[in-house]
Amino acid sequence: MVTAIILAGGVGSRVGADRPKQFVEVLDKPVLAYTIEIFESHPEVDAIEVVCHKSWKDYLNDMITKYGYKKVKWVADGGDTFQDSVMSGVNNLKNKIGGDDYVLVQYGAAPFTSEKIVTDVIRVMKEKGSAVTATPCYQLMGSKDGDVSKTWVDRDLYTQIACPYGFRYDYLLGVYERAEEQGLIEKIEPHTTSLMYALGDELNLAYGDQTNIKITTKEDFDMFEGYVLMKQRKMM
């Protein structure tokens, strides 16, 4: 069984909107709806859990009804931090899925993710127990030394890591148990992958591409609107 945990607990203050960025509407549909649909339509995803900002749970439930999502089985409360929200979602699945089942972790404000990316994360996750989306660094990469750059770094030695992350469920439980035992939860932000690095675990790399960005700024909304319109034109 594969369950997608979609994180929609943040406030998204950097975009300057009157609501969390995952609930901002693009072409009359919330960003979160587009993200849910990535997994709702994927044939290898069996269930969805949304970790939602407490003040927006009624809005979320109305949205689930409006768009008729069949795979959304559970809604968990969002936390004050990314790690709190992930742990809320992970713990809420106890006694609902088995340790040998799989979970995907996705940002609610990451609606660009393609079916190809999800499919490859699932493939690597099932082969190796965990996986992350990894995109090559295509731009020249240089150091940041104040207002100047003094040297370049070999971009082929680095990769850009994004969601979805994929894990065998008992492994992910173990990551957070070990992190709590070592006092890392409050020190390491903002990603599950950051905890894995801190614990000395390796990240297994799956396919990624440059379109798979998380909405962070106002300009990202414009990019996503263009992306949706492009996809609509291709379907005509």
Side-chain angles (χ1 to χ4, degrees):
M1 179 175 178
V2 176
T3 298
I5 303 174
I6 300 178
L7 303 174
V11 297
S13 57
R14 278 181 288 182
V15 300
D18 63 349
R19 61 184 62 194
K21 60 187 176 183
Q22 61 271 23
F23 297 110
V24 172
E25 293 190 357
V26 174
L27 299 176
D28 300 319
K29 181 186 288 189
V31 166
L32 179 60
Y34 291 101
T35 304
I36 290 174
E37 287 168 6
I38 296 166
F39 301 92
E40 178 78 17
S41 63
H42 197 286
E44 294 185 75
V45 175
D46 302 293
I48 296 170
E49 176 192 56
V50 182
V51 181
C52 184
H53 192 292
K54 295 177 183 178
S55 299
W56 287 83
K57 288 177 74 173
D58 288 342
Y59 182 97
L60 171 64
N61 288 325
D62 289 343
M63 190 182 78
I64 293 169
T65 300
K66 177 179 179 180
Y67 294 107
Y69 300 135
K70 304 299 184 184
K71 292 184 182 179
V72 180
K73 306 297 184 183
W74 309 288
V75 175
D77 288 337
D80 293 332
T81 67
F82 174 91
Q83 303 291 22
D84 288 339
S85 290
V86 176
M87 287 189 291
S88 175
V90 170
N91 290 331
N92 188 59
L93 291 177
K94 289 180 178 179
N95 303 317
K96 296 181 176 69
I97 65 174
D100 58 352
D101 287 323
Y102 295 92
V103 293
L104 302 168
V105 178
Q106 175 83 358
Y107 294 103
F112 286 92
T113 303
S114 66
E115 180 178 334
K116 181 177 180 179
I117 287 174
V118 177
T119 298
D120 203 54
V121 169
I122 291 173
R123 178 188 65 82
V124 176
M125 169 183 71
K126 288 185 174 181
E127 288 179 2
K128 300 184 178 180
S130 66
V132 299
T133 304
T135 304
C137 298
Y138 292 106
Q139 303 284 358
L140 176 67
M141 296 182 64
S143 64
K144 188 175 186 304
D145 309 293
D147 294 332
V148 300
S149 178
K150 296 181 180 179
T151 186
W152 69 280
V153 295
D154 186 351
R155 63 189 178 193
D156 292 335
L157 298 177
Y158 297 89
T159 189
Q160 300 178 81
I161 294 170
C163 59
Y165 313 136
F167 310 96
R168 183 175 156 128
Y169 182 57
D170 56 5
Y171 170 75
L172 184 57
L173 285 173
V175 167
Y176 279 95
E177 288 170 1
R178 287 185 289 147
E180 286 190 292
E181 290 170 0
Q182 297 182 32
L184 296 174
I185 299 295
E186 302 301 325
K187 298 177 183 177
I188 305 295
E189 282 287 346
H191 305 291
T192 306
T193 46
S194 304
L195 288 179
M196 293 170 67
Y197 281 130
L199 291 166
D201 292 8
E202 294 181 341
L203 275 60
N204 299 304
L205 306 182
Y207 172 80
D209 59 45
Q210 292 189 93
T211 63
N212 188 31
I213 67 170
K214 176 169 67 75
I215 290 178
T216 305
T217 67
K218 293 178 180 178
E219 291 76 18
D220 294 335
F221 285 107
D222 294 333
M223 289 177 60
F224 183 61
E225 181 173 335
Y227 180 76
V228 173
L229 291 172
M230 177 270 294
K231 290 181 68 177
Q232 289 176 350
R233 282 198 298 271
K234 285 187 175 182
M235 294 174 63
M236 294 175 65

